[in-house]
């Protein structure tokens, strides 16, 4: 399974954030779902921070029309910085300066939202001929060891594409991808097939790709040939399936809790969990929640 030739250090990441977010309308009519707050930070900042703490040096965010807020968030903000400096608000200033210095962040527009696979294909010239990480902009994962880092470590061992996977419920597998897996050891599986949004008789397992993967650059040639699939979108799953069937991929049952910021319930769950441990409001919010529960 190991292919030492391909084991290069993962330095680049792609964060596709050009989706239309139709599951969380009406807010996404004018606000990118990736900018929805989890208490006081937009979802995409968690994703960028995860990439940086996983050792990623260069990040390409794929945006689209109406997503300018994302670029503004990672830009410098001289007027605000000046004001905070003059008012001696050091903590806030440090926080604001930190965001614009997080990493080398680049932006590219996907001119039409043709699907996640197409968004990744847009990154081809940025990536070149190296393996890279993909972090879906609407999947926020809270974990001790960054989920992306967990995948990178497995890539370094096997030299094959790695899928961040978790089990989903029998009821919901139809909304996700389904992976054909075989246990290698602990939380590591080989993956030899997959299907996007399976019908009842097509489910391969309850393991699904949840928001993170490490891809080898041969994915681009496959993506170029990938025709629109489920929902008439160019599906990343359809391209990864080709690699899984030919060379094989690895699936990691990553440790962490994933929140789907592309769904209304996911947004609320992430906000509540983050508020409970927030250094400023955590204690008061916990008390508020306890009082509220008594009334439910
Ligand atoms: P999703 O399928 O969850 O995003 O894609 P969506 O298309 O916005 O979802 P709906 O409309 O609510 O069903 C997963 C990730 O891929 C990005 C999204 O922004 C999200 O982060 N994406 C999706 C793109 O960048 N481009 C696309 O064409 C589609």
């Amino acid at each position: 399974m190991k292919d030492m030739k391909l084991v290069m250090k993962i330095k680049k990441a792609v964060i596709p954030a050009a989706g239309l977010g139709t599951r969380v309308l009406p807010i996404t009519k004018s606000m990118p779902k990736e900018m929805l707050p989890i208490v006081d930070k937009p979802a995409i900042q968690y994703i960028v921070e995860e990439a940086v703490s996983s050792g990623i040096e260069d990040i390409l965010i794929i945006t689209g029309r109406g997503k300018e807020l994302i670029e503004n968030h990672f830009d410098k903000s001289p007027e605000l910085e000046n004001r905070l400096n003059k008012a001696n608000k050091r903590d806030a200033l440090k926080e604001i300066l930190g965001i614009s210095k997080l990493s080398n962040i680049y932006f590219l527009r996907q001119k039409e939202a043709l699907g996640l696979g197409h968004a990744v294909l847009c990154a081809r010239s940025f990536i070149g001929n190296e393996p890279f990480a993909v972090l879906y902009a609407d999947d926020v994962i809270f974990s001790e060891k960054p989920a992306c880092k967990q995948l990178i470590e497995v890539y370094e061992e096997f030299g094959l594409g790695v899928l961040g996977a978790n089990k989903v419920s029998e009821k919901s597998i139809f909304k996700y991808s389904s992976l054909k897996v075989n246990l290698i050891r602990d939380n590591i599986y080989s993956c030899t097939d997959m299907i996007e949004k399976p019908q009842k008789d097509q489910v391969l397992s309850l393991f699904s790709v949840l928001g993170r993967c490490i891809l080898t650059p041969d994915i681009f040639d496959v993506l170029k040939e990938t025709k629109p699939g489920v929902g008439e979108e160019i599906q990343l799953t359809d391209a990864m399936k080709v690699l899984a069937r030919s060379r094989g991929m690895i699936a990691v049952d990553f440790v962490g809790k994933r929140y789907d910021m592309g769904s209304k319930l996911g947004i609320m769950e992430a906000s509540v969990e983050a508020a409970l441990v927030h250094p400023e409001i955590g204690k008061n919010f916990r008390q508020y929640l306890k009082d509220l529960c008594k009334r439910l």
Side-chain angles (χ1 to χ4, degrees):
M1 274 267 205
K2 287 186 196 182
D3 188 342
M4 297 311 287
K5 280 197 307 291
L6 284 174
V7 181
M8 288 170 68
K9 196 170 165 355
I10 310 273
K11 289 181 291 190
K12 292 181 181 173
V14 178
I15 302 181
L20 300 178
T22 56
R23 284 169 295 147
V24 269
L25 280 167
I27 184 71
T28 41
K29 184 163 179 262
S30 53
M31 162 80 127
K33 62 179 167 181
E34 299 81 11
M35 286 300 291
L36 290 172
I38 302 179
V39 187
D40 50 5
K41 253 197 241 180
I44 196 161
Q45 190 179 331
Y46 286 91
I47 313 278
V48 168
E49 286 173 352
E50 180 190 324
V52 172
S53 55
S54 301
I56 298 293
E57 293 167 14
D58 295 305
I59 296 172
L60 178 69
I61 301 181
I62 307 289
T63 66
R65 208 162 293 114
K67 302 268 184 174
E68 297 77 12
L69 274 180
I70 300 178
E71 286 191 47
N72 293 345
H73 184 71
F74 292 103
D75 200 358
K76 271 186 75 70
S77 182
E79 203 183 338
L80 177 63
E81 288 160 23
N82 233 345
R83 175 73 61 92
L84 294 173
N85 197 18
K86 276 190 184 145
N88 212 17
K89 294 190 170 170
R90 293 198 177 283
D91 287 348
L93 180 62
K94 201 171 150 210
E95 178 99 39
I96 295 302
L97 285 172
I99 297 169
S100 59
K101 288 185 188 152
L102 267 172
S103 168
N104 298 322
I105 303 181
Y106 306 84
F107 297 91
L108 184 79
R109 273 196 179 209
Q110 183 188 19
K111 293 194 173 65
E112 245 184 292
L114 297 178
L116 176 59
H118 180 262
V120 171
L121 182 58
C122 291
R124 186 173 201 162
S125 53
F126 170 81
I127 295 296
N129 197 28
E130 30 183 310
F132 60 103
V134 180
L135 298 92
Y136 304 4
D138 57 356
D139 278 323
V140 170
I141 300 173
F142 294 156
S143 56
E144 240 169 70
K145 184 190 273 191
C148 181
K149 193 173 181 139
Q150 297 178 41
L151 270 62
I152 288 175
E153 286 176 358
V154 174
Y155 172 78
E156 284 167 353
E157 183 180 350
F158 291 89
L160 292 169
V162 181
L163 308 159
N166 273 176
K167 271 190 180 167
V168 301
S169 70
E170 232 166 287
K171 257 198 194 146
S172 62
I173 187 71
F174 313 107
K175 294 188 278 178
Y176 295 90
S177 57
S178 170
L179 307 179
K180 185 176 179 188
V181 291
N182 264 308
L183 182 66
I184 297 177
R185 65 159 201 269
D186 309 320
N187 62 339
I188 301 175
Y189 298 78
S190 64
C191 171
T192 49
D193 203 0
M194 65 185 84
I195 180 166
E196 182 66 29
K197 298 194 176 56
Q199 305 283 318
K200 218 172 179 176
D201 56 349
Q202 295 174 315
V203 174
L204 300 168
S205 79
L206 295 179
F207 276 108
S208 180
V209 180
L210 294 185
R212 302 289 179 270
C213 48
I214 305 295
L215 296 174
T216 44
D218 46 351
I219 194 76
F220 293 120
D221 280 340
V222 182
L223 274 171
K224 230 177 125 212
E225 301 303 321
T226 303
K227 301 275 174 290
V230 175
E232 291 306 303
E233 294 194 348
I234 297 176
Q235 298 287 349
L236 183 60
T237 307
D238 290 342
M240 294 194 301
K241 174 173 70 184
V242 174
L243 297 189
R245 283 180 177 177
S246 54
R247 304 177 49 206
M249 292 185 83
I250 304 291
V252 180
D253 187 6
F254 64 82
V255 181
K257 176 91 178 78
R258 168 243 183 205
Y259 298 93
D260 179 4
M261 293 298 289
S263 83
K264 292 173 193 182
L265 188 60
I267 294 166
M268 291 313 299
E269 287 171 353
S271 300
V272 170
E273 295 276 354
L276 281 170
V277 295
H278 192 281
E280 209 177 305
I281 63 160
K283 206 168 147 223
N284 289 345
F285 183 69
R286 185 172 295 270
Q287 192 52 54
Y288 162 77
L289 214 53
K290 280 183 178 166
D291 295 343
L292 179 71
C293 286
K294 284 182 206 151
R295 286 188 272 126
L296 294 179

